[in-house]
Amino acid sequence: MATKAYLLFHDPEAGPTAIRLDRGQKATLGRASTNSIVIRDERASRCHAEVFAAAEGWRVRDLDSRNGTRVGGEPIKGERPLVAGDVIRIGKTEIVFGLGDPPTEAHDGSVALGSGMSTDQLPDVLQQWHASITHRRTETRLLDVIRAAAETAPRVGRAAAELCRLAFALGQAGDMRSVAELALATALEGCSSTRGVVFLPDAVGAAFAKGGATLEPVAMAPDPWPAAALPRAAVATVLRMNEAIVARESAQRPGSVSSMSAPIRADGHSVGVMHLEKAPGEREGTPDDLEFLLAVCNALGMAVANLQTREALSVRLATTADENARLKARLREESRMVGVSRALGTIVGQIGRVAGTKATVLVRGESGAGKELVARAIHEASDRRAGPFVCLNCAALSETLLESELFGHEKGAFTGATERKVGKFEQAHRGTIMLDEIGEMSPAIQAKFLRVLEGHPYERVGGQTRVQVDVRVVAATNRDLEKAVESGDFRRDLYFRLKVVEILVPPLRHRVEDIEPLARHFLGRFAAETGQPVRDFTPAALEAMRRHHWPGNIRELRNCIERAVVLSSEALIDVPELGFSDLGSSGDTGRVAPGPRYVPETLEEMERRHVVATLAATAGNKTKAAAILGIERSTLDRKLARWADGRPEPRPASGG
């Protein structure tokens, strides 16, 4: 058994060091200065491990260290034997164990400092590169507090100025090559180097792929750099060790150069490498140069991260803009007023006249008749269309919640108010607010609402700060506000303040000619959304829709068409798929109107039914029937003859 052995390691400050071991001698390793080998690594314990001779050979023992000891890449528990070429790793420090006398030169290429690799396991180029390393650095001090850095790092003033200039330049650069070239130029000047190259991922998005990206030289000086001379060994070493290093080729080799390499870190891990070289024969890089190079690479890493964020934001903004455009187009389609009736033409004309003013608008009509559609059309036709359009149903909330929704509240205003909330009026600033079911608003809120309508500022619930808003109000109701005013449920002054311009939206049953255009509009929309092969309605379905009384108005029609499109398996929708409701029509108060079900019919049909009923009541006595009807007997005879022949009534109608 060999009695002599040695330990070889690289100290970041003192450089390569060899420790001779003799049988009977114990070598200690750790952070304390009393150890045989002092390890300047914060991950090393004060007394971390020891190497000693045993009867069967040399062994290493971990001294219950905080971060453990590795040999051959594997953690050890207690102690284990050593063989020539074993690498003991403590933190990022590697100590090579060998038998016999230590090498005469610390730079001898026969000693490799690879992670868990013996001499014959490393490629020759990496063996030579590891042996040439003279300085290592994990973090730079130049990006710490400048006063603290000035005590330990020379040239701090000049370095800080160069880094500041670099930071501003990197912030203005817009692509990977630009930031790399700026950083390389600063590093070459600050480290007095003659040439350099920056390796970064082949795409900005790949910078965060954590090992999945291909590194390419994106900036070089001189450009081009000979492909055969690219420092692949330096790049591999820096990425594996995640450290900045200074290396010097053997002094005996003609034209030997000193080089420095540092990792470019983004998002907490290395994504690239910057490599600098000095001219042959010049002094090698110093720890101060390494400090500056690390600082430049850290700034470059932040720029790469910012480019990644900027690119992600650009993609997201482009996607959002496209989605907004499509949603606005869909909203315009949904808000389009469809129909051919005279009543609808009147409403459109009123909207055109009132949209350009600041007047408050009161929209009245049954539920589902399209009051919100009218309010949105007023907003889109006004000079406030670039502002927000906010809707609130006053009947859906209690008095307390409605006040909070309208005017907002401060943190702690009531139980559950954990933070300040902006009300609907503030959300609609410089836009339009639509208050549906305005007749359901409580008297207390009516008073506060009236002040806002008159242009006065208001306070949030539980707050003292006065809020001033510029909002156009469109109110809507299906209630009889006049009766509510008479009964005292609605403020008289608020009623007159709201009723500046009134738009009445008639129910769908009063504009039968709009039913078919609306049905075809909804059919095309839902067929496109669902992909169903539905093309049209049968004549019976169209006639049934014209005769239906539509108690739910346009909302009911829309739902009927959507259901029919979803359930239909044919190209034409027939009556059974429509599924009409049997509810009666609702009046303006929201209650079901009494009386028989309404059936649309012309005045001539109503007249004929009335005349026939009168004749039946007089047992066919035409003279008596004519007297009851208030017409001449001859006029009655002409009407009966015309109805018997199926002829239309002449226009204009004859008197008598």
Side-chain angles (χ1 to χ4, degrees):
M1 182 190 68
T3 58
K4 293 182 179 181
Y6 64 88
L7 297 176
L8 180 65
F9 79 107
H10 279 250
D11 185 282
E13 297 183 5
T17 302
I19 301 295
R20 187 188 301 274
L21 301 175
D22 291 318
R23 190 169 179 77
Q25 178 184 2
K26 181 185 296 185
T28 58
L29 299 82
R31 195 157 37 85
S33 59
T34 55
N35 289 289
S36 305
I37 296 178
V38 179
I39 300 174
R40 295 175 175 84
D41 191 324
E42 65 274 9
R43 283 156 292 195
S45 300
R46 291 184 59 81
C47 295
H48 197 102
E50 61 182 10
V51 177
F52 59 95
E56 68 279 9
W58 292 90
R59 303 179 71 85
V60 60
R61 177 188 296 131
D62 183 77
L63 300 177
D64 297 325
S65 63
R66 183 176 71 252
N67 295 312
T69 305
R70 290 175 175 268
V71 176
E74 298 294 329
I76 65 172
K77 295 183 179 179
E79 60 184 56
R80 63 154 284 175
L82 291 171
V83 297
D86 274 347
V87 177
I88 304 169
R89 186 177 179 91
I90 298 175
K92 289 193 175 183
T93 302
E94 296 173 331
I95 302 102
V96 177
F97 173 79
L99 295 175
D101 293 323
T104 55
E105 288 190 40
H107 295 301
D108 193 325
S110 63
V111 180
L113 299 181
S115 296
M117 296 183 182
S118 60
T119 305
D120 58 355
Q121 290 177 301
L122 279 174
D124 291 342
V125 64
L126 287 183
Q127 292 183 36
Q128 297 171 6
W129 181 260
H130 274 286
S132 67
I133 296 173
T134 59
H135 299 292
R136 293 175 183 266
R137 182 73 69 193
T138 302
E139 299 292 341
T140 177
R141 294 168 293 178
L142 289 177
L143 299 181
D144 296 334
V145 178
I146 199 68
R147 184 176 300 171
E151 299 175 357
T152 56
R155 300 186 295 109
V156 169
R158 176 187 170 194
E162 291 175 346
L163 291 174
C164 182
R165 178 182 58 80
L166 175 63
F168 278 101
L170 291 177
Q172 297 174 351
D175 57 78
M176 186 90 79
R177 180 174 296 278
S178 298
V179 297
E181 289 175 347
L182 286 168
L184 179 60
T186 301
L188 287 172
E189 181 180 354
C191 297
S192 302
S193 300
T194 56
R195 65 178 189 168
V197 59
V198 176
F199 292 87
L200 283 171
D202 51 5
V204 174
F208 297 85
K210 296 187 178 180
T214 303
L215 294 185
E216 299 291 342
V218 298
M220 294 172 282
D223 189 3
W225 188 302
L230 287 174
R232 299 293 183 184
V235 172
T237 301
V238 169
L239 289 177
R240 185 167 58 87
M241 304 294 294
N242 194 25
E243 288 181 327
I245 56 176
V246 176
R248 177 81 179 187
E249 295 183 5
S250 176
Q252 285 77 19
R253 184 180 303 172
S256 63
V257 297
S258 173
S259 65
M260 293 179 292
S261 306
I264 300 167
R265 302 184 181 110
D267 197 27
H269 61 277
S270 297
V271 298
V273 174
M274 182 181 292
H275 177 82
L276 306 182
E277 292 183 0
K278 292 181 177 289
E282 288 191 3
R283 65 169 178 83
E284 69 180 37
T286 65
D288 299 328
D289 293 330
L290 210 56
E291 288 275 3
F292 185 77
L293 180 59
L294 263 175
V296 170
C297 287
N298 286 347
L300 176 56
M302 291 183 64
V304 171
N306 290 338
L307 283 176
Q308 166 74 9
T309 304
R310 191 185 308 173
E311 182 174 284
L313 285 175
S314 297
V315 172
R316 192 176 305 170
L317 285 173
T319 303
T320 303
D322 181 63
E323 290 177 354
N324 285 342
R326 286 188 283 107
L327 287 174
K328 286 182 178 179
R330 180 175 177 178
L331 186 60
R332 283 193 296 270
E333 180 64 20
E334 291 182 355
S335 303
R336 186 162 61 91
M337 305 189 75
V338 178
V340 295
S341 66
R342 179 178 298 179
L344 183 62
T346 301
I347 293 173
V348 172
Q350 290 176 314
I351 291 172
R353 289 190 294 273
V354 76
T357 70
K358 296 183 179 180
T360 303
V361 181
L362 178 62
V363 184
R364 306 179 74 164
E366 294 181 7
S367 179
K371 298 188 295 295
E372 182 178 340
L373 192 67
V374 172
R376 189 177 293 277
I378 293 173
H379 173 74
E380 291 295 332
S382 71
D383 56 0
R384 296 173 178 263
R385 56 184 171 273
F389 178 79
V390 179
C391 293
L392 180 65
N393 190 330
C394 299
L397 301 170
S398 65
E399 179 178 338
T400 303
L401 289 178
L402 179 58
E403 184 180 11
S404 173
E405 284 293 317
L406 282 174
F407 308 110
H409 63 251
E410 298 288 349
K411 180 178 180 180
F414 49 83
T415 302
T418 57
E419 58 184 14
R420 171 188 285 183
K421 179 178 179 179
V422 173
K424 298 297 185 184
F425 273 107
E426 287 182 78
Q427 293 177 22
H429 182 57
R430 295 183 178 175
T432 304
I433 184 170
M434 180 202 174
L435 300 178
D436 200 5
E437 307 294 350
I438 192 71
E440 307 300 326
M441 189 178 287
S442 68
I445 300 181
Q446 288 178 29
K448 192 170 183 178
F449 174 48
L450 178 60
R451 287 189 56 81
V452 177
L453 274 180
E454 292 174 343
H456 297 287
Y458 65 90
E459 297 174 355
R460 301 185 188 94
V461 178
Q464 298 179 346
T465 304
R466 301 176 71 81
V467 180
Q468 182 73 56
V469 294
D470 175 18
V471 176
R472 204 259 182 82
V473 176
V474 178
T477 184
N478 63 0
R479 289 189 61 186
D480 188 337
L481 289 184
E482 289 77 11
K483 289 184 178 179
V485 170
E486 292 175 359
S487 64
D489 294 332
F490 201 80
R491 292 177 62 102
R492 182 179 297 269
D493 49 1
L494 178 58
Y495 168 76
F496 288 112
R497 185 65 182 83
L498 287 174
K499 196 176 178 181
V500 178
V501 176
E502 185 178 51
I503 297 179
L504 180 63
V505 183
L508 186 58
R509 61 184 175 273
H510 291 171
R511 43 193 181 105
V512 180
E513 54 268 52
D514 288 341
I515 293 176
E516 184 175 343
L518 282 168
R520 294 189 186 280
H521 168 74
F522 290 132
L523 174 66
R525 173 180 161 190
F526 293 127
E529 288 182 1
T530 60
Q532 292 283 79
V534 182
R535 295 185 292 103
D536 205 348
F537 301 94
T538 64
L542 290 174
E543 180 62 25
M545 285 190 288
R546 281 191 289 266
R547 296 183 63 84
H548 184 58
H549 61 295
W550 298 111
N553 292 295
I554 298 176
R555 183 182 293 119
E556 181 189 1
L557 174 62
R558 176 188 182 278
N559 293 340
C560 280
I561 303 304
E562 184 176 11
R563 177 174 57 250
V565 170
V566 171
L567 298 179
S568 179
S569 58
E570 305 294 335
L572 300 179
I573 292 177
D574 206 353
V575 177
E577 282 113 10
L578 293 173
F580 294 130
S581 169
D582 292 330
L583 291 175
S585 305
S586 61
D588 289 343
T589 61
R591 297 186 295 272
V592 175
R597 171 176 168 176
Y598 171 80
V599 177
E601 58 182 346
T602 65
L603 289 174
E604 186 174 0
E605 289 174 345
M606 293 178 65
E607 182 186 26
R608 183 173 62 81
R609 283 195 303 104
H610 183 62
V611 169
V612 171
T614 304
L615 280 172
T618 60
N621 189 325
K622 295 182 180 180
T623 301
K624 187 181 292 186
I628 293 173
L629 293 170
I631 60 177
E632 298 292 335
R633 164 70 185 266
S634 59
T635 302
L636 177 61
D637 289 335
R638 286 197 303 271
K639 288 181 179 292
L640 292 174
R642 186 174 65 253
W643 291 334
D645 296 339
R647 289 176 292 154
E649 184 176 5
R651 294 288 187 265
S654 61

Tab-separated table of all heavy atoms in Angstrom, residues 592-636:
chain	number	residue	atom	x	y	z
A	592	VAL	N	-99.606	40.220	-15.350
A	592	VAL	CA	-100.256	39.621	-16.517
A	592	VAL	C	-101.579	40.308	-16.754
A	592	VAL	O	-102.392	40.473	-15.843
A	592	VAL	CB	-100.466	38.113	-16.302
A	592	VAL	CG1	-101.244	37.516	-17.463
A	592	VAL	CG2	-99.132	37.430	-16.150
A	593	ALA	N	-101.803	40.769	-17.958
A	593	ALA	CA	-103.026	41.491	-18.278
A	593	ALA	C	-104.207	40.533	-18.271
A	593	ALA	O	-104.119	39.418	-18.786
A	593	ALA	CB	-102.897	42.159	-19.643
A	594	PRO	N	-105.343	40.945	-17.687
A	594	PRO	CA	-106.512	40.069	-17.668
A	594	PRO	C	-107.133	39.982	-19.050
A	594	PRO	O	-106.846	40.774	-19.942
A	594	PRO	CB	-107.438	40.773	-16.666
A	594	PRO	CG	-107.052	42.212	-16.757
A	594	PRO	CD	-105.582	42.218	-17.017
A	595	GLY	N	-108.058	39.049	-19.200
A	595	GLY	CA	-108.772	38.952	-20.460
A	595	GLY	C	-108.271	37.813	-21.317
A	595	GLY	O	-107.324	37.111	-20.968
A	596	PRO	N	-108.930	37.616	-22.444
A	596	PRO	CA	-108.570	36.501	-23.329
A	596	PRO	C	-107.221	36.736	-23.999
A	596	PRO	O	-106.720	37.845	-24.035
A	596	PRO	CB	-109.707	36.488	-24.362
A	596	PRO	CG	-110.208	37.901	-24.376
A	596	PRO	CD	-110.070	38.400	-22.973
A	597	ARG	N	-106.664	35.654	-24.507
A	597	ARG	CA	-105.385	35.720	-25.202
A	597	ARG	C	-105.502	36.588	-26.455
A	597	ARG	O	-106.469	36.495	-27.201
A	597	ARG	CB	-104.951	34.308	-25.570
A	597	ARG	CG	-103.752	34.244	-26.480
A	597	ARG	CD	-103.349	32.814	-26.716
A	597	ARG	NE	-102.393	32.733	-27.789
A	597	ARG	CZ	-101.803	31.607	-28.181
A	597	ARG	NH1	-102.070	30.488	-27.562
A	597	ARG	NH2	-100.950	31.612	-29.171
A	598	TYR	N	-104.549	37.444	-26.666
A	598	TYR	CA	-104.567	38.347	-27.818
A	598	TYR	C	-104.202	37.592	-29.094
A	598	TYR	O	-103.254	36.796	-29.108
A	598	TYR	CB	-103.562	39.481	-27.592
A	598	TYR	CG	-103.338	40.342	-28.815
A	598	TYR	CD1	-104.236	41.344	-29.154
A	598	TYR	CD2	-102.230	40.122	-29.633
A	598	TYR	CE1	-104.038	42.121	-30.278
A	598	TYR	CE2	-102.022	40.891	-30.760
A	598	TYR	CZ	-102.930	41.893	-31.083
A	598	TYR	OH	-102.729	42.658	-32.193
A	599	VAL	N	-104.985	37.825	-30.159
A	599	VAL	CA	-104.703	37.247	-31.468
A	599	VAL	C	-104.627	38.397	-32.466
A	599	VAL	O	-105.597	39.141	-32.632
A	599	VAL	CB	-105.800	36.254	-31.890
A	599	VAL	CG1	-105.511	35.720	-33.296
A	599	VAL	CG2	-105.919	35.113	-30.894
A	600	PRO	N	-103.516	38.604	-33.117
A	600	PRO	CA	-103.411	39.711	-34.082
A	600	PRO	C	-104.411	39.547	-35.224
A	600	PRO	O	-104.586	38.453	-35.773
A	600	PRO	CB	-101.971	39.592	-34.592
A	600	PRO	CG	-101.260	38.789	-33.554
A	600	PRO	CD	-102.274	37.861	-32.990
A	601	GLU	N	-105.136	40.643	-35.576
A	601	GLU	CA	-106.064	40.623	-36.684
A	601	GLU	C	-106.259	42.041	-37.196
A	601	GLU	O	-105.989	43.013	-36.485
A	601	GLU	CB	-107.408	40.025	-36.280
A	601	GLU	CG	-108.102	40.739	-35.142
A	601	GLU	CD	-109.411	40.066	-34.737
A	601	GLU	OE1	-109.888	39.212	-35.507
A	601	GLU	OE2	-109.927	40.384	-33.665
A	602	THR	N	-106.739	42.159	-38.433
A	602	THR	CA	-106.922	43.467	-39.056
A	602	THR	C	-108.238	44.089	-38.594
A	602	THR	O	-109.131	43.417	-38.051
A	602	THR	CB	-106.928	43.337	-40.581
A	602	THR	OG1	-108.071	42.559	-40.971
A	602	THR	CG2	-105.652	42.647	-41.065
A	603	LEU	N	-108.383	45.395	-38.874
A	603	LEU	CA	-109.623	46.095	-38.520
A	603	LEU	C	-110.813	45.547	-39.311
A	603	LEU	O	-111.943	45.465	-38.801
A	603	LEU	CB	-109.460	47.595	-38.782
A	603	LEU	CG	-108.517	48.331	-37.825
A	603	LEU	CD1	-108.337	49.774	-38.294
A	603	LEU	CD2	-109.072	48.312	-36.410
A	604	GLU	N	-110.583	45.163	-40.567
A	604	GLU	CA	-111.675	44.625	-41.381
A	604	GLU	C	-112.173	43.305	-40.815
A	604	GLU	O	-113.384	43.033	-40.790
A	604	GLU	CB	-111.224	44.444	-42.828
A	604	GLU	CG	-112.366	44.020	-43.745
A	604	GLU	CD	-111.956	43.988	-45.212
A	604	GLU	OE1	-110.771	44.299	-45.487
A	604	GLU	OE2	-112.788	43.667	-46.058
A	605	GLU	N	-111.245	42.464	-40.324
A	605	GLU	CA	-111.654	41.203	-39.712
A	605	GLU	C	-112.465	41.452	-38.450
A	605	GLU	O	-113.471	40.768	-38.174
A	605	GLU	CB	-110.423	40.347	-39.400
A	605	GLU	CG	-109.738	39.786	-40.629
A	605	GLU	CD	-108.441	39.078	-40.267
A	605	GLU	OE1	-107.965	39.285	-39.135
A	605	GLU	OE2	-107.919	38.344	-41.121
A	606	MET	N	-112.003	42.447	-37.651
A	606	MET	CA	-112.744	42.781	-36.437
A	606	MET	C	-114.148	43.298	-36.785
A	606	MET	O	-115.142	42.944	-36.128
A	606	MET	CB	-111.973	43.837	-35.634
A	606	MET	CG	-110.660	43.342	-35.059
A	606	MET	SD	-109.769	44.635	-34.178
A	606	MET	CE	-110.898	44.939	-32.814
A	607	GLU	N	-114.248	44.138	-37.857
A	607	GLU	CA	-115.547	44.674	-38.269
A	607	GLU	C	-116.474	43.553	-38.720
A	607	GLU	O	-117.666	43.507	-38.368
A	607	GLU	CB	-115.359	45.695	-39.396
A	607	GLU	CG	-116.675	46.321	-39.842
A	607	GLU	CD	-116.499	47.223	-41.056
A	607	GLU	OE1	-115.525	46.986	-41.815
A	607	GLU	OE2	-117.323	48.131	-41.238
A	608	ARG	N	-115.940	42.630	-39.511
A	608	ARG	CA	-116.780	41.533	-40.009
A	608	ARG	C	-117.299	40.677	-38.860
A	608	ARG	O	-118.481	40.307	-38.836
A	608	ARG	CB	-115.965	40.672	-40.984
A	608	ARG	CG	-116.775	39.539	-41.618
A	608	ARG	CD	-115.965	38.837	-42.682
A	608	ARG	NE	-114.775	38.217	-42.111
A	608	ARG	CZ	-114.786	37.030	-41.488
A	608	ARG	NH1	-115.912	36.344	-41.362
A	608	ARG	NH2	-113.668	36.527	-40.999
A	609	ARG	N	-116.424	40.362	-37.899
A	609	ARG	CA	-116.873	39.567	-36.759
A	609	ARG	C	-117.968	40.296	-35.978
A	609	ARG	O	-118.954	39.702	-35.522
A	609	ARG	CB	-115.679	39.258	-35.837
A	609	ARG	CG	-114.778	38.157	-36.357
A	609	ARG	CD	-113.827	37.621	-35.272
A	609	ARG	NE	-112.988	38.654	-34.689
A	609	ARG	CZ	-113.188	39.187	-33.487
A	609	ARG	NH1	-114.235	38.814	-32.755
A	609	ARG	NH2	-112.361	40.112	-33.009
A	610	HIS	N	-117.786	41.621	-35.806
A	610	HIS	CA	-118.766	42.394	-35.052
A	610	HIS	C	-120.114	42.458	-35.777
A	610	HIS	O	-121.191	42.327	-35.155
A	610	HIS	CB	-118.239	43.816	-34.821
A	610	HIS	CG	-119.141	44.665	-33.985
A	610	HIS	ND1	-119.462	44.354	-32.679
A	610	HIS	CD2	-119.811	45.829	-34.266
A	610	HIS	CE1	-120.272	45.277	-32.184
A	610	HIS	NE2	-120.507	46.185	-33.143
A	611	VAL	N	-120.092	42.661	-37.104
A	611	VAL	CA	-121.341	42.724	-37.887
A	611	VAL	C	-122.065	41.388	-37.834
A	611	VAL	O	-123.298	41.312	-37.636
A	611	VAL	CB	-121.039	43.139	-39.336
A	611	VAL	CG1	-122.266	42.941	-40.231
A	611	VAL	CG2	-120.570	44.581	-39.382
A	612	VAL	N	-121.323	40.282	-38.014
A	612	VAL	CA	-121.926	38.951	-37.983
A	612	VAL	C	-122.542	38.682	-36.615
A	612	VAL	O	-123.653	38.130	-36.498
A	612	VAL	CB	-120.877	37.891	-38.352
A	612	VAL	CG1	-121.424	36.484	-38.098
A	612	VAL	CG2	-120.472	38.026	-39.814
A	613	ALA	N	-121.816	39.095	-35.538
A	613	ALA	CA	-122.354	38.891	-34.194
A	613	ALA	C	-123.620	39.719	-33.968
A	613	ALA	O	-124.577	39.261	-33.311
A	613	ALA	CB	-121.283	39.250	-33.167
A	614	THR	N	-123.657	40.934	-34.509
A	614	THR	CA	-124.846	41.787	-34.355
A	614	THR	C	-126.036	41.189	-35.090
A	614	THR	O	-127.173	41.177	-34.580
A	614	THR	CB	-124.549	43.202	-34.873
A	614	THR	OG1	-123.414	43.725	-34.185
A	614	THR	CG2	-125.731	44.121	-34.643
A	615	LEU	N	-125.827	40.671	-36.303
A	615	LEU	CA	-126.903	40.022	-37.047
A	615	LEU	C	-127.425	38.799	-36.304
A	615	LEU	O	-128.643	38.533	-36.274
A	615	LEU	CB	-126.408	39.614	-38.436
A	615	LEU	CG	-126.358	40.718	-39.498
A	615	LEU	CD1	-125.661	40.213	-40.751
A	615	LEU	CD2	-127.776	41.196	-39.842
A	616	ALA	N	-126.482	38.054	-35.698
A	616	ALA	CA	-126.915	36.886	-34.941
A	616	ALA	C	-127.763	37.300	-33.747
A	616	ALA	O	-128.745	36.633	-33.391
A	616	ALA	CB	-125.701	36.086	-34.480
A	617	ALA	N	-127.399	38.436	-33.110
A	617	ALA	CA	-128.156	38.899	-31.945
A	617	ALA	C	-129.548	39.384	-32.320
A	617	ALA	O	-130.476	39.358	-31.493
A	617	ALA	CB	-127.384	40.014	-31.241
A	618	THR	N	-129.738	39.866	-33.595
A	618	THR	CA	-131.053	40.360	-34.048
A	618	THR	C	-131.799	39.312	-34.853
A	618	THR	O	-132.776	39.646	-35.551
A	618	THR	CB	-130.862	41.621	-34.898
A	618	THR	OG1	-130.054	41.306	-36.029
A	618	THR	CG2	-130.215	42.732	-34.090
A	619	ALA	N	-131.300	38.073	-34.753
A	619	ALA	CA	-131.957	36.957	-35.454
A	619	ALA	C	-132.034	37.207	-36.950
A	619	ALA	O	-133.010	36.856	-37.627
A	619	ALA	CB	-133.341	36.686	-34.874
A	620	GLY	N	-131.004	37.871	-37.516
A	620	GLY	CA	-130.922	38.099	-38.949
A	620	GLY	C	-131.687	39.297	-39.444
A	620	GLY	O	-131.777	39.502	-40.666
A	621	ASN	N	-132.236	40.142	-38.572
A	621	ASN	CA	-132.984	41.335	-38.971
A	621	ASN	C	-131.984	42.411	-39.352
A	621	ASN	O	-131.350	43.039	-38.505
A	621	ASN	CB	-133.856	41.808	-37.815
A	621	ASN	CG	-134.814	42.908	-38.230
A	621	ASN	OD1	-134.485	43.755	-39.071
A	621	ASN	ND2	-135.997	42.902	-37.641
A	622	LYS	N	-131.825	42.628	-40.659
A	622	LYS	CA	-130.816	43.573	-41.139
A	622	LYS	C	-131.154	45.005	-40.773
A	622	LYS	O	-130.256	45.809	-40.479
A	622	LYS	CB	-130.655	43.446	-42.659
A	622	LYS	CG	-130.104	42.097	-43.105
A	622	LYS	CD	-129.925	42.072	-44.622
A	622	LYS	CE	-129.368	40.733	-45.079
A	622	LYS	NZ	-129.186	40.674	-46.546
A	623	THR	N	-132.438	45.373	-40.807
A	623	THR	CA	-132.817	46.749	-40.476
A	623	THR	C	-132.456	47.064	-39.029
A	623	THR	O	-131.881	48.119	-38.728
A	623	THR	CB	-134.322	46.943	-40.700
A	623	THR	OG1	-134.646	46.648	-42.068
A	623	THR	CG2	-134.741	48.366	-40.377
A	624	LYS	N	-132.797	46.111	-38.120
A	624	LYS	CA	-132.474	46.331	-36.709
A	624	LYS	C	-130.954	46.324	-36.503
A	624	LYS	O	-130.407	47.133	-35.748
A	624	LYS	CB	-133.129	45.252	-35.859
A	624	LYS	CG	-132.990	45.488	-34.367
A	624	LYS	CD	-133.644	44.386	-33.557
A	624	LYS	CE	-135.159	44.434	-33.724
A	624	LYS	NZ	-135.844	43.470	-32.829
A	625	ALA	N	-130.261	45.407	-37.210
A	625	ALA	CA	-128.799	45.333	-37.063
A	625	ALA	C	-128.141	46.613	-37.564
A	625	ALA	O	-127.188	47.132	-36.960
A	625	ALA	CB	-128.259	44.131	-37.820
A	626	ALA	N	-128.646	47.159	-38.720
A	626	ALA	CA	-128.073	48.404	-39.245
A	626	ALA	C	-128.276	49.546	-38.277
A	626	ALA	O	-127.408	50.416	-38.107
A	626	ALA	CB	-128.691	48.715	-40.601
A	627	ALA	N	-129.459	49.585	-37.610
A	627	ALA	CA	-129.716	50.644	-36.638
A	627	ALA	C	-128.753	50.543	-35.451
A	627	ALA	O	-128.243	51.549	-34.951
A	627	ALA	CB	-131.180	50.560	-36.176
A	628	ILE	N	-128.519	49.280	-34.988
A	628	ILE	CA	-127.582	49.097	-33.858
A	628	ILE	C	-126.164	49.494	-34.263
A	628	ILE	O	-125.430	50.140	-33.502
A	628	ILE	CB	-127.629	47.630	-33.384
A	628	ILE	CG1	-129.006	47.320	-32.764
A	628	ILE	CG2	-126.516	47.366	-32.384
A	628	ILE	CD1	-129.191	45.854	-32.419
A	629	LEU	N	-125.784	49.145	-35.488
A	629	LEU	CA	-124.427	49.452	-35.965
A	629	LEU	C	-124.271	50.919	-36.334
A	629	LEU	O	-123.138	51.409	-36.483
A	629	LEU	CB	-124.088	48.584	-37.173
A	629	LEU	CG	-123.959	47.082	-36.899
A	629	LEU	CD1	-123.863	46.317	-38.214
A	629	LEU	CD2	-122.750	46.795	-36.019
A	630	GLY	N	-125.350	51.644	-36.523
A	630	GLY	CA	-125.268	53.061	-36.850
A	630	GLY	C	-124.936	53.318	-38.299
A	630	GLY	O	-124.292	54.328	-38.613
A	631	ILE	N	-125.370	52.390	-39.181
A	631	ILE	CA	-125.108	52.560	-40.602
A	631	ILE	C	-126.415	52.379	-41.367
A	631	ILE	O	-127.420	51.900	-40.840
A	631	ILE	CB	-124.056	51.547	-41.107
A	631	ILE	CG1	-124.533	50.115	-40.877
A	631	ILE	CG2	-122.707	51.799	-40.452
A	631	ILE	CD1	-123.593	49.065	-41.406
A	632	GLU	N	-126.398	52.761	-42.645
A	632	GLU	CA	-127.562	52.577	-43.487
A	632	GLU	C	-127.757	51.100	-43.830
A	632	GLU	O	-126.798	50.329	-43.864
A	632	GLU	CB	-127.411	53.393	-44.777
A	632	GLU	CG	-127.322	54.890	-44.568
A	632	GLU	CD	-128.644	55.470	-44.073
A	632	GLU	OE1	-129.710	54.858	-44.346
A	632	GLU	OE2	-128.598	56.530	-43.417
A	633	ARG	N	-129.027	50.742	-44.104
A	633	ARG	CA	-129.318	49.352	-44.477
A	633	ARG	C	-128.585	48.975	-45.764
A	633	ARG	O	-128.039	47.879	-45.892
A	633	ARG	CB	-130.844	49.187	-44.650
A	633	ARG	CG	-131.306	47.924	-45.389
A	633	ARG	CD	-131.075	46.681	-44.559
A	633	ARG	NE	-131.408	45.512	-45.338
A	633	ARG	CZ	-132.608	44.913	-45.320
A	633	ARG	NH1	-133.577	45.413	-44.553
A	633	ARG	NH2	-132.835	43.827	-46.026
A	634	SER	N	-128.499	49.928	-46.716
A	634	SER	CA	-127.798	49.636	-47.975
A	634	SER	C	-126.303	49.412	-47.752
A	634	SER	O	-125.672	48.595	-48.428
A	634	SER	CB	-128.016	50.785	-48.964
A	634	SER	OG	-127.532	52.015	-48.415
A	635	THR	N	-125.737	50.160	-46.816
A	635	THR	CA	-124.308	49.969	-46.507
A	635	THR	C	-124.069	48.584	-45.943
A	635	THR	O	-123.080	47.910	-46.292
A	635	THR	CB	-123.835	51.034	-45.502
A	635	THR	OG1	-124.068	52.331	-46.050
A	635	THR	CG2	-122.364	50.877	-45.184
A	636	LEU	N	-124.973	48.141	-45.073
A	636	LEU	CA	-124.843	46.794	-44.514
A	636	LEU	C	-124.942	45.741	-45.607
A	636	LEU	O	-124.171	44.763	-45.614
A	636	LEU	CB	-125.929	46.576	-43.455
A	636	LEU	CG	-125.980	45.184	-42.820
A	636	LEU	CD1	-124.659	44.882	-42.099
A	636	LEU	CD2	-127.150	45.089	-41.833
